[in-house]
């Protein structure tokens, strides 16, 4: 089975504005797997996997919408090479901030 995914980092006013909550909600609505967390530099980062069309919707959310009070300055997306095998298990989660820098 072919799977798609990307890592992301969103820079701007994205902490203290429920960005992770809205990101989790949107990813869950789309049926994506992965995670999101706050980073020490004030950004939000994460990983998402799922159907290509749903990932495109999620990218637009991350880079253009976010939470109601967020101010997105820059959005960095790094696409995975196509992979085979099952999608990540466990759905989409909010990670503890101290695990943010490990893109696993």
């Amino acid at each position: 089975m072919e799977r798609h995914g990307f890592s992301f980092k969103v820079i701007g006013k994205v902490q203290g504005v429920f960005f992770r909550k809205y990101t989790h909600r949107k990813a869950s609505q789309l049926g994506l797997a992965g995670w999101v967390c706050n980073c020490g530099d004030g950004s939000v980062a994460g990983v998402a996997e799922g159907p290509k069309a749903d990932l495109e919707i999620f990218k637009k959310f991350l880079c253009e919408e976010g939470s109601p009070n967020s101010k997105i300055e820059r959005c960095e997306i790094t696409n995975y090479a196509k992979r085979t095998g099952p999608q990540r298990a466990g759905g989409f989660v909010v990670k503890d901030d101290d695990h943010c820098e490990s893109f696993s």
Side-chain angles (χ1 to χ4, degrees):
M1 169 194 265
E2 194 174 81
R3 61 186 169 128
H4 303 274
F6 60 82
S7 60
F8 62 88
K9 185 167 188 171
V10 184
I11 296 121
K13 183 181 175 188
V14 292
Q15 289 190 16
V17 292
F18 299 100
F19 194 92
R20 291 178 304 162
K21 176 182 176 180
Y22 279 81
T23 298
H24 177 265
R25 182 182 297 165
K26 185 68 168 183
S28 296
Q29 288 171 348
L30 293 169
L32 302 178
W35 55 267
V36 63
C37 66
N38 285 337
C39 296
D41 64 1
S43 66
V44 170
V47 167
E49 290 185 355
K52 200 169 189 177
D54 292 333
L55 288 171
E56 291 304 316
I57 294 167
F58 191 56
K59 283 180 192 179
K60 182 175 177 162
F61 168 82
L62 290 170
C63 297
E64 299 176 19
E65 299 172 34
S67 65
N69 292 318
S70 64
K71 301 274 189 259
I72 300 164
E73 294 174 13
R74 191 169 81 241
C75 182
E76 300 170 357
I77 302 288
T78 304
N79 290 317
Y80 292 163
K82 289 180 184 173
R83 299 178 180 191
T84 56
Q87 181 171 295
R88 288 174 186 263
F92 198 91
V93 299
V94 176
K95 276 191 171 185
D96 293 337
D97 296 346
D98 58 343
H99 294 103
C100 186
E101 303 306 326
S102 62
F103 274 30
S104 56

